Amino acid sequence: MTITITAFEASPDRGQGLARDMRVRWALEEVGQRYDVRLVSFAAMKQPAHKALHPFGQIPTYEEGGLALFESGAIILHIAQARPGLLPADPDARARAIMWIFAALGTVEPPIIELEQGGYTPADIWHAARVPLLEQRIRTRLADLSAHLGDADWLDGEFSAGDLMMVMVLRRAEGTGLIEEHPNLAAYVARGEARPAYQRAFADQLAVFTSGGQ
Ligand code: GTB
């Protein structure tokens, strides 16, 4: 069955792999699943054809036969449940790996995105004043995550979809210097980025930028 995902035709990050199609690409590479990519413009994302797939007019989406999904967390969970490679077989370990997907998206990502978004939003006249508070919120999360990770390679035993999501979420804080305050988190992100599946996914999304004339 052909799998098709959507990605930015011209990602604002210029191929840094920060848009959320990167996490879906990485998951598909980890499980060895080929996929097609349909590139969409910002205008096309808001048209009815795309909104039939994604009610909020965003990327990524995932299509496989009659199934259409949006939300990167739901897509990665689906990939991980459908194919071996991203979730442990043991039921308890599997539940904990899924827990880490939720922790990444629900607990760690929100303050990082809030800090990032304010910088893009000129109408947010309070953003500059809120930066120290937002950074402190992120610092609290990262300190706790760092303490949990300790000297381990991954959050709970073997690499899982929970690590994939957490690494991608931590990457969103790149450039803030906050990850580097915790050498074990910086090494954790680097371990994720060193995985061959990550490298293939990154190269593919970068090729959209370098060969697409964006
Ligand atoms: N909760 C959804 C999910 O996890 O899938 C969020 C999806 C989402 O935010 N999609 C963004 C989008 O389509 C792209 S990833 N935005 C267009 C719109 O809303 O009109 C967010 C993103 C965008 C750009 C960068 N960047 O340039 O660094 C990084 C991340």
Side-chain angles (χ1 to χ4, degrees):
M1 191 89 62
T2 304
I3 290 173
T4 305
I5 68 167
T6 51
F8 282 137
E9 181 183 80
S11 181
D13 74 357
R14 302 170 63 84
Q16 290 179 71
L18 296 173
R20 287 181 174 88
D21 60 293
M22 174 62 201
R23 45 187 80 170
V24 176
R25 291 172 183 269
W26 183 10
L28 287 165
E29 291 287 351
E30 287 285 350
V31 300
Q33 175 64 53
R34 294 174 62 85
Y35 61 98
D36 292 338
V37 182
R38 188 169 63 252
L39 301 176
V40 289
S41 66
F42 277 89
M45 273 186 266
K46 308 305 173 194
Q47 296 304 310
H50 187 76
K51 286 187 111 175
L53 292 172
H54 195 312
F56 306 114
Q58 297 184 311
I59 60 100
T61 59
Y62 174 102
E63 293 158 80
E64 182 181 15
L67 175 67
L69 295 174
F70 62 95
E71 283 297 334
S72 59
I75 295 169
I76 282 160
L77 186 55
H78 171 72
I79 294 167
Q81 287 178 326
R83 296 166 181 80
L86 280 170
L87 288 175
D90 172 71
D92 288 358
R94 198 175 178 89
R96 288 195 303 272
I98 293 169
M99 170 186 74
W100 280 111
I101 299 177
F102 281 83
L105 293 174
T107 302
V108 180
E109 188 168 52
I112 295 174
I113 300 300
E114 205 178 339
L115 178 67
E116 181 195 276
Q117 293 291 315
Y120 296 152
T121 317
D124 185 355
I125 58 170
W126 306 112
H127 179 68
R130 293 176 67 237
V131 164
L133 172 70
L134 295 173
E135 287 186 344
Q136 193 47 50
R137 282 190 193 149
I138 298 171
R139 280 200 171 90
T140 302
R141 293 291 185 238
L142 296 184
D144 287 341
L145 185 66
S146 170
H148 173 85
L149 182 66
D151 294 332
D153 280 354
W154 307 113
L155 289 167
D156 192 314
E158 295 297 305
F159 174 82
S160 78
D163 293 297
L164 183 152
M165 194 62 90
M166 191 64 81
V167 166
M168 289 311 307
V169 163
L170 295 179
R171 279 210 58 215
R172 291 295 289 273
E174 272 177 10
T176 64
L178 296 170
I179 304 295
E180 291 72 14
E181 292 177 6
H182 300 281
N184 67 336
L185 292 185
Y188 173 67
V189 172
R191 255 189 309 281
E193 291 173 332
R195 291 179 71 83
Y198 177 99
Q199 298 279 324
R200 289 194 296 275
F202 187 88
D204 284 351
Q205 63 79 40
L206 180 61
V208 174
F209 173 69
T210 54
S211 66
Q214 277 93 47

